[in-house]
């Protein structure tokens, strides 16, 4: 169980998050949506200590973690893996070495065992043939799958996806969607997905929260979002250029 | 200290702080500038202390230090030799011209030049050259990793960026700065000897005069090599780790790395030279 309570965050004079509160239930596929720059990525980075909130609380499995230091964040980052927007693989390492890094650091495995395990993890995302290739040699969709394999190596309970289908072709995007849904259904992993991709949102989300001007505008199921008469939400989910949304 | 502030300062946009300073007035702006310097000094100190911690307690990737020794040291040899060769020629030519006007006797030209080279010039000028090449490279590489979230990905993998990125550069720089400065000093001396022979008819055997060089000069020069070798990667890595924004931020980080590394070298030079003259007055 994960809960954000009254989270506030400013960068200089600009307040990005203003009293954001919501819960995420165990095992659900939870989407965070909203216009660009509304603070979706900023919000999920608070959960793993990559950013610190100005005020508010973050509860993870009964523990308040918003004031944890770098050392205390270690177990949190093992429990909550993150797939970044641009895959962020290390160019100087092969795909297998990229996936092996968290195994060596989080699980203290030796290099040989970590590499063998990494190759197995790459097979799960159908990338075993590319284990010895370097990230610049791969396409965006392939890099994304390797990044997902790297995130899953530590067997996390929560996986945070920051715009996982951005820059992917429609086929690769749907494959990533399927992978995220399978994580929830087969492994019981809680997925928190930041996305603009309407196809993803309405095909795999259990629940959605929409942020607008730093606040929570609505939380609900995809069906509830479709049925709402809120003009801002309707403009967003229908992708209309004109409407009440103030960008 | 929160998890965030240790290596990844919040990306406040630069124009935002300018707006705040405009509201503070003149005195407030000076106070804000001092606060900024204090915060920067604390972050720099934190990077230094954690680097020392991981030198002894960290788990380095095999070959990482050797790779950095190649990047920092081997690839700088030509640049350092060329610049120090020309600087050696200029220094000896100018010194010779001055000596010619005052005491037309060049027998001590080599001895004075060698003392100056060992005690100060080889280390300080060589390190300033290194700061431009190595400092900029370190800041650009780490800064790019920050803005593309690779540093965040490292932290998510339980790999501390200080241990993984800074320590190999720190160790490589300590060794290679010393080696490069010895090479640079030799090149500067040889080019100076050639200049003295061509323009002032000073034979190389007369020019190579160790009469004025003592243990204190060697120790002062060695201390400077180690201090500069430590300062360049620490300052540059700190500039890289505090990058914000996109490619413009990386550009600023690179500029700051060169400026701050050069400043650090000049300030360290002052204190080490002063200590050297107090401890070894001869």
């Amino acid at each position: 169980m994960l809960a954000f309570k009254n989270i506030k965050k400013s960068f200089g004079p600009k307040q990005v998050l203003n009293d954001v509160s919501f819960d995420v239930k165990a095992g659900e596929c939870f989407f965070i949506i909203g216009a660009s720059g509304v603070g979706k990525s900023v919000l999920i980075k608070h959960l793993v200590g990559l950013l610190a909130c100005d005020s508010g609380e973050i509860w993870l499995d009964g523990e308040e973690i918003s004031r944890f230091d770098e050392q205390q964040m270690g177990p949190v980052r093992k429990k909550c893996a993150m797939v970044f927007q641009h895959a962020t693989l290390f160019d100087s390492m092969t795909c297998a070495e990229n996936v092996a890094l968290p195994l060596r650091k989080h699980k203290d495995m030796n290099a040989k065992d970590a590499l063998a395990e990494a190759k197995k993890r790459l097979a799960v995302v159908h990338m075993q043939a590319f284990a010895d290739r370097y990230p610049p040699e791969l396409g965006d969709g392939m890099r994304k799958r390797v990044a997902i394999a790297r995130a899953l190596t530590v067997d996390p309970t929560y996986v945070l996806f920051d715009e996982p289908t951005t820059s992917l072709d429609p086929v690769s995007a749907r494959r990533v969607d399927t992978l995220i849904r399978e994580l929830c259904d087969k492994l019981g992993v809680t997925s928190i997905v930041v996305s603009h991709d309407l196809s993803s949102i309405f095909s795999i989300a259990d629940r959605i929260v929409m942020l607008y001007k730093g606040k929570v505008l609505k939380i609900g199921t995809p069906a509830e979002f479709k049925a709402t008469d809120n003009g801002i939400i309707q403009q967003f989910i229908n992708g209309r250029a004109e409407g009440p949304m103030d960008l | 200290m929160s998890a965030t502030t240790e290596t990844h300062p919040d990306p406040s946009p630069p124009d935002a702080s300018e707006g705040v300073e405009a509201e503070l007035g003149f005195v407030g702006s000076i106070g804000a500038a001092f606060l900024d310097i204090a915060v920067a000094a604390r972050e720099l100190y934190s990077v230094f202390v954690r680097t020392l911690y991981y030198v002894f307690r960290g788990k380095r990737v095999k070959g990482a230090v050797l790779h950095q020794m190649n990047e920092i040291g081997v690839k700088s040899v030509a640049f350092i030799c060329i610049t120090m060769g020309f600087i050696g020629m200029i220094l000896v030519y100018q010194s010779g011209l001055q000596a010619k006007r005052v005491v037309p006797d060049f027998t001590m030209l080599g001895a004075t030049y060698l003392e100056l080279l060992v005690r100060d010039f080889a280390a300080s000028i060589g390190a300033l050259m290194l700061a431009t090449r190595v400092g900029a490279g370190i800041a650009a590489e780490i800064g790019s990793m920050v803005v593309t979230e690779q540093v965040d990905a490292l932290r998510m993998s339980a790999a501390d960026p200080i241990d993984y990125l800074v320590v190999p550069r720190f160790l490589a720089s300590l060794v290679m700065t010393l080696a490069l400065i010895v090479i640079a000093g030799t090149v500067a001396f040889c080019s100076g000897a050639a200049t003295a022979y061509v323009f002032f008819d000073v034979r190389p055997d007369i020019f190579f005069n160790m009469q004025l060089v003592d243990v204190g000069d060697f120790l002062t020069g060695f201390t400077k090599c180690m201090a500069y070798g430590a300062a360049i990667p620490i300052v540059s890595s700190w500039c890289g780790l505090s990058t914000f924004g996109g490619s413009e931020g990386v550009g600023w980080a690179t500029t700051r790395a060169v400026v701050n590394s050069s400043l650090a070298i000049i300030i360290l030079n002052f204190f080490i030279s002063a200590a050297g003259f107090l401890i070894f007055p001869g």
Side-chain angles (χ1 to χ4, degrees), chain B residues 168-192:
Chain B
R169 287 165 174 79
F170 176 78
L171 292 174
S173 176
L174 275 184
V175 176
M176 296 314 282
T177 300
L178 179 63
L180 282 170
I181 285 172
V182 169
I183 295 168
T186 308
V187 170
F189 181 78
C190 292
S191 68

Side-chain angles (χ1 to χ4, degrees), chain B residues 137-218:
Chain B
I138 291 174
E141 195 175 351
I142 296 179
S144 302
M145 290 184 74
V146 169
V147 299
T148 56
E149 296 179 318
Q150 287 186 56
V151 170
D152 285 344
L154 268 181
R155 295 168 72 195
M156 289 301 297
S157 301
D160 191 312
I162 299 287
D163 185 21
Y164 195 82
L165 298 174
V166 183
V167 170
R169 287 165 174 79
F170 176 78
L171 292 174
S173 176
L174 275 184
V175 176
M176 296 314 282
T177 300
L178 179 63
L180 282 170
I181 285 172
V182 169
I183 295 168
T186 308
V187 170
F189 181 78
C190 292
S191 68
T195 307
Y197 181 69
V198 171
F199 291 99
F200 306 110
D201 292 327
V202 181
R203 290 200 324 268
D205 60 313
I206 306 276
F207 192 80
F208 185 73
N209 184 348
M210 294 281 285
Q211 199 180 328
L212 296 179
V213 181
D214 57 23
V215 177
D217 296 321
F218 274 111

